[in-house]
PDB file of all heavy atoms in Angstrom:
ATOM      1  N   ALA A 235       6.528   2.352  -4.884  1.00 97.00           N
ATOM      2  CA  ALA A 235       7.927   2.852  -4.804  1.00 97.00           C
ATOM      3  C   ALA A 235       8.881   1.946  -5.557  1.00 97.00           C
ATOM      4  O   ALA A 235      10.097   2.163  -5.575  1.00 97.00           O
ATOM      5  CB  ALA A 235       8.305   3.035  -3.364  1.00 97.00           C
ATOM      6  N   GLY A 236       8.416   0.870  -6.127  1.00 97.00           N
ATOM      7  CA  GLY A 236       9.249  -0.105  -6.821  1.00 97.00           C
ATOM      8  C   GLY A 236       9.913  -1.111  -6.051  1.00 97.00           C
ATOM      9  O   GLY A 236      10.846  -1.820  -6.506  1.00 97.00           O
ATOM     10  N   GLU A 237       9.472  -1.228  -4.763  1.00 97.00           N
ATOM     11  CA  GLU A 237      10.117  -2.161  -3.775  1.00 97.00           C
ATOM     12  C   GLU A 237       9.621  -3.592  -3.989  1.00 97.00           C
ATOM     13  O   GLU A 237       8.489  -3.750  -4.473  1.00 97.00           O
ATOM     14  CB  GLU A 237       9.839  -1.674  -2.380  1.00 97.00           C
ATOM     15  CG  GLU A 237      10.413  -0.328  -2.053  1.00 97.00           C
ATOM     16  CD  GLU A 237       9.915   0.188  -0.718  1.00 97.00           C
ATOM     17  OE1 GLU A 237       9.220  -0.565   0.009  1.00 97.00           O
ATOM     18  OE2 GLU A 237      10.245   1.366  -0.346  1.00 97.00           O
ATOM     19  N   THR A 238      10.410  -4.530  -3.619  1.00 97.00           N
ATOM     20  CA  THR A 238       9.952  -5.944  -3.381  1.00 97.00           C
ATOM     21  C   THR A 238       9.497  -5.935  -1.898  1.00 97.00           C
ATOM     22  O   THR A 238      10.272  -5.677  -1.023  1.00 97.00           O
ATOM     23  CB  THR A 238      11.059  -6.909  -3.568  1.00 97.00           C
ATOM     24  OG1 THR A 238      11.557  -6.813  -4.973  1.00 97.00           O
ATOM     25  CG2 THR A 238      10.619  -8.317  -3.334  1.00 97.00           C
ATOM     26  N   VAL A 239       8.241  -6.370  -1.777  1.00 96.00           N
ATOM     27  CA  VAL A 239       7.590  -6.218  -0.455  1.00 96.00           C
ATOM     28  C   VAL A 239       7.145  -7.539   0.076  1.00 96.00           C
ATOM     29  O   VAL A 239       6.564  -8.447  -0.673  1.00 96.00           O
ATOM     30  CB  VAL A 239       6.366  -5.272  -0.627  1.00 96.00           C
ATOM     31  CG1 VAL A 239       5.663  -5.037   0.796  1.00 96.00           C
ATOM     32  CG2 VAL A 239       6.753  -3.956  -1.172  1.00 96.00           C
ATOM     33  N   THR A 240       7.344  -7.666   1.382  1.00 96.00           N
ATOM     34  CA  THR A 240       6.845  -8.763   2.202  1.00 96.00           C
ATOM     35  C   THR A 240       6.039  -8.153   3.378  1.00 96.00           C
ATOM     36  O   THR A 240       6.591  -7.331   4.055  1.00 96.00           O
ATOM     37  CB  THR A 240       7.870  -9.788   2.599  1.00 96.00           C
ATOM     38  OG1 THR A 240       8.458 -10.432   1.491  1.00 96.00           O
ATOM     39  CG2 THR A 240       7.295 -10.846   3.551  1.00 96.00           C
ATOM     40  N   VAL A 241       4.847  -8.534   3.527  1.00 93.00           N
ATOM     41  CA  VAL A 241       4.008  -8.018   4.587  1.00 93.00           C
ATOM     42  C   VAL A 241       3.360  -9.269   5.304  1.00 93.00           C
ATOM     43  O   VAL A 241       2.729 -10.124   4.628  1.00 93.00           O
ATOM     44  CB  VAL A 241       2.961  -7.106   4.074  1.00 93.00           C
ATOM     45  CG1 VAL A 241       1.982  -6.733   5.305  1.00 93.00           C
ATOM     46  CG2 VAL A 241       3.539  -5.850   3.610  1.00 93.00           C
ATOM     47  N   LYS A 242       3.488  -9.277   6.570  1.00 93.00           N
ATOM     48  CA  LYS A 242       2.700 -10.327   7.350  1.00 93.00           C
ATOM     49  C   LYS A 242       1.998  -9.508   8.455  1.00 93.00           C
ATOM     50  O   LYS A 242       2.541  -9.447   9.586  1.00 93.00           O
ATOM     51  CB  LYS A 242       3.596 -11.444   7.915  1.00 93.00           C
ATOM     52  CG  LYS A 242       2.822 -12.554   8.563  1.00 93.00           C
ATOM     53  CD  LYS A 242       3.750 -13.757   8.856  1.00 93.00           C
ATOM     54  CE  LYS A 242       2.938 -14.839   9.575  1.00 93.00           C
ATOM     55  NZ  LYS A 242       1.847 -15.295   8.781  1.00 93.00           N
ATOM     56  N   GLY A 243       0.948  -8.941   8.068  1.00 93.00           N
ATOM     57  CA  GLY A 243       0.231  -8.091   9.043  1.00 93.00           C
ATOM     58  C   GLY A 243      -0.955  -8.816   9.711  1.00 93.00           C
ATOM     59  O   GLY A 243      -1.091 -10.052   9.574  1.00 93.00           O
ATOM     60  N   GLU A 244      -1.633  -8.043  10.493  1.00 93.00           N
ATOM     61  CA  GLU A 244      -2.820  -8.659  11.236  1.00 93.00           C
ATOM     62  C   GLU A 244      -3.919  -8.954  10.290  1.00 93.00           C
ATOM     63  O   GLU A 244      -4.690  -9.890  10.537  1.00 93.00           O
ATOM     64  CB  GLU A 244      -3.305  -7.709  12.289  1.00 93.00           C
ATOM     65  CG  GLU A 244      -2.261  -7.409  13.405  1.00 93.00           C
ATOM     66  CD  GLU A 244      -2.715  -6.418  14.409  1.00 93.00           C
ATOM     67  OE1 GLU A 244      -3.907  -6.501  14.817  1.00 93.00           O
ATOM     68  OE2 GLU A 244      -2.023  -5.459  14.740  1.00 93.00           O
ATOM     69  N   GLN A 245      -4.064  -8.186   9.259  1.00 93.00           N
ATOM     70  CA  GLN A 245      -5.160  -8.329   8.247  1.00 93.00           C
ATOM     71  C   GLN A 245      -4.641  -8.642   6.839  1.00 93.00           C
ATOM     72  O   GLN A 245      -5.352  -9.249   6.042  1.00 93.00           O
ATOM     73  CB  GLN A 245      -6.048  -7.158   8.226  1.00 93.00           C
ATOM     74  CG  GLN A 245      -6.715  -6.861   9.553  1.00 93.00           C
ATOM     75  CD  GLN A 245      -7.859  -7.804   9.836  1.00 93.00           C
ATOM     76  OE1 GLN A 245      -8.676  -8.108   9.047  1.00 93.00           O
ATOM     77  NE2 GLN A 245      -7.792  -8.498  10.986  1.00 93.00           N
ATOM     78  N   ILE A 246      -3.494  -8.138   6.444  1.00 94.00           N
ATOM     79  CA  ILE A 246      -3.002  -8.171   5.094  1.00 94.00           C
ATOM     80  C   ILE A 246      -1.703  -8.999   5.043  1.00 94.00           C
ATOM     81  O   ILE A 246      -0.740  -8.751   5.858  1.00 94.00           O
ATOM     82  CB  ILE A 246      -2.752  -6.830   4.527  1.00 94.00           C
ATOM     83  CG1 ILE A 246      -3.992  -5.945   4.624  1.00 94.00           C
ATOM     84  CG2 ILE A 246      -2.249  -6.860   3.082  1.00 94.00           C
ATOM     85  CD1 ILE A 246      -5.123  -6.371   3.814  1.00 94.00           C
ATOM     86  N   SER A 247      -1.602  -9.982   4.079  1.00 95.00           N
ATOM     87  CA  SER A 247      -0.365 -10.678   3.887  1.00 95.00           C
ATOM     88  C   SER A 247       0.057 -10.586   2.496  1.00 95.00           C
ATOM     89  O   SER A 247      -0.778 -10.577   1.513  1.00 95.00           O
ATOM     90  CB  SER A 247      -0.580 -12.167   4.295  1.00 95.00           C
ATOM     91  OG  SER A 247      -0.806 -12.248   5.685  1.00 95.00           O
ATOM     92  N   PHE A 248       1.317 -10.553   2.229  1.00 97.00           N
ATOM     93  CA  PHE A 248       1.969 -10.479   0.847  1.00 97.00           C
ATOM     94  C   PHE A 248       3.348 -10.952   0.950  1.00 97.00           C
ATOM     95  O   PHE A 248       4.136 -10.487   1.836  1.00 97.00           O
ATOM     96  CB  PHE A 248       1.826  -9.047   0.355  1.00 97.00           C
ATOM     97  CG  PHE A 248       2.230  -8.784  -1.089  1.00 97.00           C
ATOM     98  CD1 PHE A 248       1.437  -9.369  -2.107  1.00 97.00           C
ATOM     99  CD2 PHE A 248       3.357  -8.155  -1.465  1.00 97.00           C
ATOM    100  CE1 PHE A 248       1.741  -9.237  -3.445  1.00 97.00           C
ATOM    101  CE2 PHE A 248       3.682  -7.993  -2.763  1.00 97.00           C
ATOM    102  CZ  PHE A 248       2.872  -8.480  -3.791  1.00 97.00           C
ATOM    103  N   HIS A 249       3.715 -11.836   0.044  1.00 97.00           N
ATOM    104  CA  HIS A 249       5.135 -12.401   0.223  1.00 97.00           C
ATOM    105  C   HIS A 249       5.939 -12.200  -0.976  1.00 97.00           C
ATOM    106  O   HIS A 249       5.688 -12.623  -2.117  1.00 97.00           O
ATOM    107  CB  HIS A 249       5.005 -13.914   0.424  1.00 97.00           C
ATOM    108  CG  HIS A 249       6.293 -14.660   0.640  1.00 97.00           C
ATOM    109  ND1 HIS A 249       7.093 -14.479   1.718  1.00 97.00           N
ATOM    110  CD2 HIS A 249       6.968 -15.492  -0.284  1.00 97.00           C
ATOM    111  CE1 HIS A 249       8.177 -15.159   1.534  1.00 97.00           C
ATOM    112  NE2 HIS A 249       8.146 -15.819   0.435  1.00 97.00           N
ATOM    113  N   ASP A 250       7.055 -11.362  -0.806  1.00 97.00           N
ATOM    114  CA  ASP A 250       8.091 -11.260  -1.772  1.00 97.00           C
ATOM    115  C   ASP A 250       7.634 -10.929  -3.164  1.00 97.00           C
ATOM    116  O   ASP A 250       8.012 -11.536  -4.120  1.00 97.00           O
ATOM    117  CB  ASP A 250       8.958 -12.565  -1.737  1.00 97.00           C
ATOM    118  CG  ASP A 250      10.321 -12.383  -2.425  1.00 97.00           C
ATOM    119  OD1 ASP A 250      10.844 -11.234  -2.354  1.00 97.00           O
ATOM    120  OD2 ASP A 250      10.825 -13.343  -3.020  1.00 97.00           O
ATOM    121  N   GLY A 251       6.785  -9.900  -3.193  1.00 97.00           N
ATOM    122  CA  GLY A 251       6.212  -9.480  -4.535  1.00 97.00           C
ATOM    123  C   GLY A 251       6.564  -8.078  -4.892  1.00 97.00           C
ATOM    124  O   GLY A 251       6.913  -7.259  -4.047  1.00 97.00           O
ATOM    125  N   ARG A 252       6.509  -7.773  -6.198  1.00 97.00           N
ATOM    126  CA  ARG A 252       6.729  -6.453  -6.702  1.00 97.00           C
ATOM    127  C   ARG A 252       5.979  -6.271  -8.028  1.00 97.00           C
ATOM    128  O   ARG A 252       5.578  -7.222  -8.623  1.00 97.00           O
ATOM    129  CB  ARG A 252       8.246  -6.135  -6.875  1.00 97.00           C
ATOM    130  CG  ARG A 252       8.883  -7.045  -7.977  1.00 97.00           C
ATOM    131  CD  ARG A 252      10.392  -6.725  -8.130  1.00 97.00           C
ATOM    132  NE  ARG A 252      10.570  -5.312  -8.574  1.00 97.00           N
ATOM    133  CZ  ARG A 252      11.498  -4.525  -8.189  1.00 97.00           C
ATOM    134  NH1 ARG A 252      12.359  -4.981  -7.277  1.00 97.00           N
ATOM    135  NH2 ARG A 252      11.683  -3.340  -8.705  1.00 97.00           N
ATOM    136  N   LEU A 253       5.780  -4.997  -8.386  1.00 98.00           N
ATOM    137  CA  LEU A 253       5.132  -4.690  -9.648  1.00 98.00           C
ATOM    138  C   LEU A 253       6.139  -5.054 -10.759  1.00 98.00           C
ATOM    139  O   LEU A 253       7.321  -4.810 -10.634  1.00 98.00           O
ATOM    140  CB  LEU A 253       4.673  -3.273  -9.700  1.00 98.00           C
ATOM    141  CG  LEU A 253       3.609  -2.800  -8.732  1.00 98.00           C
ATOM    142  CD1 LEU A 253       3.225  -1.330  -8.979  1.00 98.00           C
ATOM    143  CD2 LEU A 253       2.354  -3.674  -8.835  1.00 98.00           C
ATOM    144  N   ASN A 254       5.590  -5.418 -11.933  1.00 97.00           N
ATOM    145  CA  ASN A 254       6.426  -5.834 -13.031  1.00 97.00           C
ATOM    146  C   ASN A 254       6.677  -4.643 -13.999  1.00 97.00           C
ATOM    147  O   ASN A 254       7.065  -4.824 -15.168  1.00 97.00           O
ATOM    148  CB  ASN A 254       5.716  -6.972 -13.801  1.00 97.00           C
ATOM    149  CG  ASN A 254       6.671  -7.665 -14.737  1.00 97.00           C
ATOM    150  OD1 ASN A 254       7.884  -7.795 -14.454  1.00 97.00           O
ATOM    151  ND2 ASN A 254       6.170  -8.071 -15.921  1.00 97.00           N
ATOM    152  N   PHE A 255       6.341  -3.439 -13.531  1.00 97.00           N
ATOM    153  CA  PHE A 255       6.604  -2.274 -14.313  1.00 97.00           C
ATOM    154  C   PHE A 255       6.950  -1.140 -13.368  1.00 97.00           C
ATOM    155  O   PHE A 255       6.583  -1.157 -12.169  1.00 97.00           O
ATOM    156  CB  PHE A 255       5.415  -1.926 -15.197  1.00 97.00           C
ATOM    157  CG  PHE A 255       4.145  -1.615 -14.475  1.00 97.00           C
ATOM    158  CD1 PHE A 255       3.805  -0.246 -14.241  1.00 97.00           C
ATOM    159  CD2 PHE A 255       3.328  -2.628 -13.986  1.00 97.00           C
ATOM    160  CE1 PHE A 255       2.476  -0.022 -13.581  1.00 97.00           C
ATOM    161  CE2 PHE A 255       2.162  -2.341 -13.258  1.00 97.00           C
ATOM    162  CZ  PHE A 255       1.748  -1.023 -13.061  1.00 97.00           C
ATOM    163  N   ALA A 256       7.556  -0.112 -13.876  1.00 97.00           N
ATOM    164  CA  ALA A 256       7.852   1.043 -13.064  1.00 97.00           C
ATOM    165  C   ALA A 256       6.627   2.073 -13.027  1.00 97.00           C
ATOM    166  O   ALA A 256       6.363   2.583 -14.119  1.00 97.00           O
ATOM    167  CB  ALA A 256       9.092   1.752 -13.575  1.00 97.00           C
ATOM    168  N   PRO A 257       6.060   2.270 -11.916  1.00 97.00           N
ATOM    169  CA  PRO A 257       4.921   3.239 -11.885  1.00 97.00           C
ATOM    170  C   PRO A 257       5.377   4.608 -12.380  1.00 97.00           C
ATOM    171  O   PRO A 257       6.575   5.090 -12.148  1.00 97.00           O
ATOM    172  CB  PRO A 257       4.524   3.299 -10.395  1.00 97.00           C
ATOM    173  CG  PRO A 257       4.996   1.949  -9.868  1.00 97.00           C
ATOM    174  CD  PRO A 257       6.255   1.607 -10.606  1.00 97.00           C
ATOM    175  N   ARG A 258       4.469   5.341 -12.999  1.00 97.00           N
ATOM    176  CA  ARG A 258       4.795   6.643 -13.431  1.00 97.00           C
ATOM    177  C   ARG A 258       5.191   7.570 -12.224  1.00 97.00           C
ATOM    178  O   ARG A 258       6.066   8.362 -12.323  1.00 97.00           O
ATOM    179  CB  ARG A 258       3.606   7.284 -14.216  1.00 97.00           C
ATOM    180  CG  ARG A 258       3.787   8.723 -14.578  1.00 97.00           C
ATOM    181  CD  ARG A 258       2.530   9.343 -15.214  1.00 97.00           C
ATOM    182  NE  ARG A 258       2.716  10.722 -15.464  1.00 97.00           N
ATOM    183  CZ  ARG A 258       3.009  11.237 -16.624  1.00 97.00           C
ATOM    184  NH1 ARG A 258       3.276  10.449 -17.653  1.00 97.00           N
ATOM    185  NH2 ARG A 258       3.181  12.614 -16.760  1.00 97.00           N
ATOM    186  N   ARG A 259       4.455   7.377 -11.145  1.00 96.00           N
ATOM    187  CA  ARG A 259       4.750   8.194  -9.899  1.00 96.00           C
ATOM    188  C   ARG A 259       4.955   7.217  -8.783  1.00 96.00           C
ATOM    189  O   ARG A 259       4.145   6.288  -8.614  1.00 96.00           O
ATOM    190  CB  ARG A 259       3.679   9.167  -9.570  1.00 96.00           C
ATOM    191  CG  ARG A 259       3.521  10.312 -10.556  1.00 96.00           C
ATOM    192  CD  ARG A 259       2.480  11.281 -10.037  1.00 96.00           C
ATOM    193  NE  ARG A 259       1.139  10.709 -10.038  1.00 96.00           N
ATOM    194  CZ  ARG A 259       0.043  11.301  -9.406  1.00 96.00           C
ATOM    195  NH1 ARG A 259       0.216  12.465  -8.808  1.00 96.00           N
ATOM    196  NH2 ARG A 259      -1.107  10.677  -9.517  1.00 96.00           N
ATOM    197  N   ARG A 260       6.019   7.478  -7.985  1.00 93.00           N
ATOM    198  CA  ARG A 260       6.244   6.631  -6.791  1.00 93.00           C
ATOM    199  C   ARG A 260       5.198   6.934  -5.632  1.00 93.00           C
ATOM    200  O   ARG A 260       5.043   6.247  -4.653  1.00 93.00           O
ATOM    201  CB  ARG A 260       7.609   6.797  -6.305  1.00 93.00           C
ATOM    202  CG  ARG A 260       8.644   6.315  -7.247  1.00 93.00           C
ATOM    203  CD  ARG A 260      10.042   6.830  -6.847  1.00 93.00           C
ATOM    204  NE  ARG A 260      10.476   6.300  -5.555  1.00 93.00           N
ATOM    205  CZ  ARG A 260      11.065   5.133  -5.292  1.00 93.00           C
ATOM    206  NH1 ARG A 260      11.439   4.386  -6.345  1.00 93.00           N
ATOM    207  NH2 ARG A 260      11.371   4.698  -4.104  1.00 93.00           N
ATOM    208  N   ALA A 261       4.625   8.212  -5.816  1.00 94.00           N
ATOM    209  CA  ALA A 261       3.790   8.604  -4.664  1.00 94.00           C
ATOM    210  C   ALA A 261       2.433   9.113  -5.195  1.00 94.00           C
ATOM    211  O   ALA A 261       2.055  10.253  -5.137  1.00 94.00           O
ATOM    212  CB  ALA A 261       4.448   9.797  -3.970  1.00 94.00           C
ATOM    213  N   VAL A 262       1.602   8.148  -5.757  1.00 98.00           N
ATOM    214  CA  VAL A 262       0.273   8.448  -6.099  1.00 98.00           C
ATOM    215  C   VAL A 262      -0.399   8.871  -4.762  1.00 98.00           C
ATOM    216  O   VAL A 262      -0.353   8.165  -3.792  1.00 98.00           O
ATOM    217  CB  VAL A 262      -0.492   7.249  -6.676  1.00 98.00           C
ATOM    218  CG1 VAL A 262      -1.930   7.418  -6.850  1.00 98.00           C
ATOM    219  CG2 VAL A 262       0.203   6.823  -8.018  1.00 98.00           C
ATOM    220  N   PRO A 263      -1.245   9.993  -4.809  1.00 98.00           N
ATOM    221  CA  PRO A 263      -1.931  10.418  -3.594  1.00 98.00           C
ATOM    222  C   PRO A 263      -2.864   9.352  -3.102  1.00 98.00           C
ATOM    223  O   PRO A 263      -3.599   8.745  -3.836  1.00 98.00           O
ATOM    224  CB  PRO A 263      -2.595  11.715  -4.032  1.00 98.00           C
ATOM    225  CG  PRO A 263      -1.895  12.114  -5.221  1.00 98.00           C
ATOM    226  CD  PRO A 263      -1.378  10.939  -5.932  1.00 98.00           C
ATOM    227  N   ILE A 264      -2.866   9.142  -1.777  1.00 98.00           N
ATOM    228  CA  ILE A 264      -3.775   8.192  -1.105  1.00 98.00           C
ATOM    229  C   ILE A 264      -4.676   8.929  -0.051  1.00 98.00           C
ATOM    230  O   ILE A 264      -4.073   9.607   0.766  1.00 98.00           O
ATOM    231  CB  ILE A 264      -3.009   7.010  -0.517  1.00 98.00           C
ATOM    232  CG1 ILE A 264      -2.169   6.295  -1.540  1.00 98.00           C
ATOM    233  CG2 ILE A 264      -3.967   6.063   0.216  1.00 98.00           C
ATOM    234  CD1 ILE A 264      -1.299   5.070  -1.002  1.00 98.00           C
ATOM    235  N   TYR A 265      -5.914   8.727  -0.206  1.00 98.00           N
ATOM    236  CA  TYR A 265      -6.892   9.294   0.723  1.00 98.00           C
ATOM    237  C   TYR A 265      -7.607   8.204   1.414  1.00 98.00           C
ATOM    238  O   TYR A 265      -8.131   7.258   0.790  1.00 98.00           O
ATOM    239  CB  TYR A 265      -7.872  10.185  -0.004  1.00 98.00           C
ATOM    240  CG  TYR A 265      -7.318  11.535  -0.552  1.00 98.00           C
ATOM    241  CD1 TYR A 265      -6.235  11.479  -1.448  1.00 98.00           C
ATOM    242  CD2 TYR A 265      -7.918  12.733  -0.226  1.00 98.00           C
ATOM    243  CE1 TYR A 265      -5.719  12.752  -1.892  1.00 98.00           C
ATOM    244  CE2 TYR A 265      -7.437  13.904  -0.691  1.00 98.00           C
ATOM    245  CZ  TYR A 265      -6.316  13.851  -1.510  1.00 98.00           C
ATOM    246  OH  TYR A 265      -5.829  15.121  -2.037  1.00 98.00           O
ATOM    247  N   VAL A 266      -7.807   8.334   2.704  1.00 98.00           N
ATOM    248  CA  VAL A 266      -8.511   7.363   3.513  1.00 98.00           C
ATOM    249  C   VAL A 266      -9.798   7.926   3.964  1.00 98.00           C
ATOM    250  O   VAL A 266      -9.918   8.970   4.503  1.00 98.00           O
ATOM    251  CB  VAL A 266      -7.658   6.902   4.792  1.00 98.00           C
ATOM    252  CG1 VAL A 266      -8.555   6.159   5.754  1.00 98.00           C
ATOM    253  CG2 VAL A 266      -6.456   6.092   4.423  1.00 98.00           C
ATOM    254  N   ALA A 267     -10.878   7.153   3.667  1.00 97.00           N
ATOM    255  CA  ALA A 267     -12.270   7.591   4.011  1.00 97.00           C
ATOM    256  C   ALA A 267     -12.726   6.845   5.255  1.00 97.00           C
ATOM    257  O   ALA A 267     -12.554   5.534   5.322  1.00 97.00           O
ATOM    258  CB  ALA A 267     -13.193   7.260   2.864  1.00 97.00           C
ATOM    259  N   SER A 268     -13.292   7.520   6.142  1.00 96.00           N
ATOM    260  CA  SER A 268     -13.886   6.865   7.359  1.00 96.00           C
ATOM    261  C   SER A 268     -14.822   7.810   8.077  1.00 96.00           C
ATOM    262  O   SER A 268     -14.708   8.987   8.071  1.00 96.00           O
ATOM    263  CB  SER A 268     -12.761   6.466   8.353  1.00 96.00           C
ATOM    264  OG  SER A 268     -13.317   5.724   9.457  1.00 96.00           O
ATOM    265  N   GLN A 269     -15.830   7.172   8.739  1.00 92.00           N
ATOM    266  CA  GLN A 269     -16.793   7.857   9.563  1.00 92.00           C
ATOM    267  C   GLN A 269     -16.319   7.772  11.069  1.00 92.00           C
ATOM    268  O   GLN A 269     -16.835   8.556  11.884  1.00 92.00           O
ATOM    269  CB  GLN A 269     -18.182   7.267   9.474  1.00 92.00           C
ATOM    270  CG  GLN A 269     -18.689   7.175   8.102  1.00 92.00           C
ATOM    271  CD  GLN A 269     -18.990   8.582   7.555  1.00 92.00           C
ATOM    272  OE1 GLN A 269     -18.282   9.006   6.674  1.00 92.00           O
ATOM    273  NE2 GLN A 269     -19.992   9.205   7.994  1.00 92.00           N
ATOM    274  N   ARG A 270     -15.472   6.810  11.312  1.00 94.00           N
ATOM    275  CA  ARG A 270     -15.164   6.497  12.705  1.00 94.00           C
ATOM    276  C   ARG A 270     -13.799   7.032  13.137  1.00 94.00           C
ATOM    277  O   ARG A 270     -12.898   7.351  12.320  1.00 94.00           O
ATOM    278  CB  ARG A 270     -15.158   4.977  12.913  1.00 94.00           C
ATOM    279  CG  ARG A 270     -16.479   4.328  12.418  1.00 94.00           C
ATOM    280  CD  ARG A 270     -17.475   4.377  13.448  1.00 94.00           C
ATOM    281  NE  ARG A 270     -18.761   3.777  13.009  1.00 94.00           N
ATOM    282  CZ  ARG A 270     -19.763   3.352  13.810  1.00 94.00           C
ATOM    283  NH1 ARG A 270     -19.641   3.532  15.156  1.00 94.00           N
ATOM    284  NH2 ARG A 270     -20.819   2.844  13.303  1.00 94.00           N
ATOM    285  N   ALA A 271     -13.660   7.139  14.441  1.00 97.00           N
ATOM    286  CA  ALA A 271     -12.359   7.704  15.005  1.00 97.00           C
ATOM    287  C   ALA A 271     -11.125   6.943  14.602  1.00 97.00           C
ATOM    288  O   ALA A 271     -10.160   7.510  14.213  1.00 97.00           O
ATOM    289  CB  ALA A 271     -12.451   7.813  16.562  1.00 97.00           C
ATOM    290  N   ALA A 272     -11.211   5.594  14.667  1.00 96.00           N
ATOM    291  CA  ALA A 272      -9.987   4.789  14.367  1.00 96.00           C
ATOM    292  C   ALA A 272      -9.603   4.990  12.901  1.00 96.00           C
ATOM    293  O   ALA A 272      -8.383   5.124  12.631  1.00 96.00           O
ATOM    294  CB  ALA A 272     -10.280   3.350  14.630  1.00 96.00           C
ATOM    295  N   GLY A 273     -10.513   5.004  11.977  1.00 97.00           N
ATOM    296  CA  GLY A 273     -10.175   5.258  10.578  1.00 97.00           C
ATOM    297  C   GLY A 273      -9.632   6.690  10.325  1.00 97.00           C
ATOM    298  O   GLY A 273      -8.763   6.908   9.520  1.00 97.00           O
ATOM    299  N   CYS A 274     -10.306   7.676  10.960  1.00 98.00           N
ATOM    300  CA  CYS A 274      -9.732   9.020  10.826  1.00 98.00           C
ATOM    301  C   CYS A 274      -8.304   9.172  11.377  1.00 98.00           C
ATOM    302  O   CYS A 274      -7.503   9.892  10.766  1.00 98.00           O
ATOM    303  CB  CYS A 274     -10.699  10.000  11.611  1.00 98.00           C
ATOM    304  SG  CYS A 274     -12.309  10.251  10.756  1.00 98.00           S
ATOM    305  N   ARG A 275      -8.009   8.470  12.432  1.00 98.00           N
ATOM    306  CA  ARG A 275      -6.675   8.552  12.895  1.00 98.00           C
ATOM    307  C   ARG A 275      -5.704   7.815  12.016  1.00 98.00           C
ATOM    308  O   ARG A 275      -4.567   8.260  11.886  1.00 98.00           O
ATOM    309  CB  ARG A 275      -6.602   7.856  14.381  1.00 98.00           C
ATOM    310  CG  ARG A 275      -7.156   8.774  15.488  1.00 98.00           C
ATOM    311  CD  ARG A 275      -6.782   8.278  16.879  1.00 98.00           C
ATOM    312  NE  ARG A 275      -7.559   7.001  17.184  1.00 98.00           N
ATOM    313  CZ  ARG A 275      -8.683   7.078  17.804  1.00 98.00           C
ATOM    314  NH1 ARG A 275      -9.244   8.182  18.252  1.00 98.00           N
ATOM    315  NH2 ARG A 275      -9.315   5.895  18.145  1.00 98.00           N
TER     316      ARG A 275
END
């Protein structure tokens, strides 16, 4: 989406970063694959 993002999650961390170019689409489709209930949710 072109944002400057900071994430301090339980598994993923990222500090004050952004892409150096404007993506063609702000909403590239994202699909999540899982066999388990937690992932499907």
Side-chain angles (χ1 to χ4, degrees):
E237 300 170 2
T238 299
V239 181
T240 294
V241 172
K242 188 170 179 57
E244 297 176 45
Q245 297 289 308
I246 305 296
S247 295
F248 188 67
H249 180 69
D250 196 29
R252 63 180 296 142
L253 295 181
N254 196 34
F255 62 101
R258 178 187 173 95
R259 291 186 295 169
R260 295 170 60 91
V262 172
I264 300 178
Y265 288 57
V266 167
S268 184
Q269 305 293 105
R270 306 279 180 160
C274 288
R275 283 192 288 267

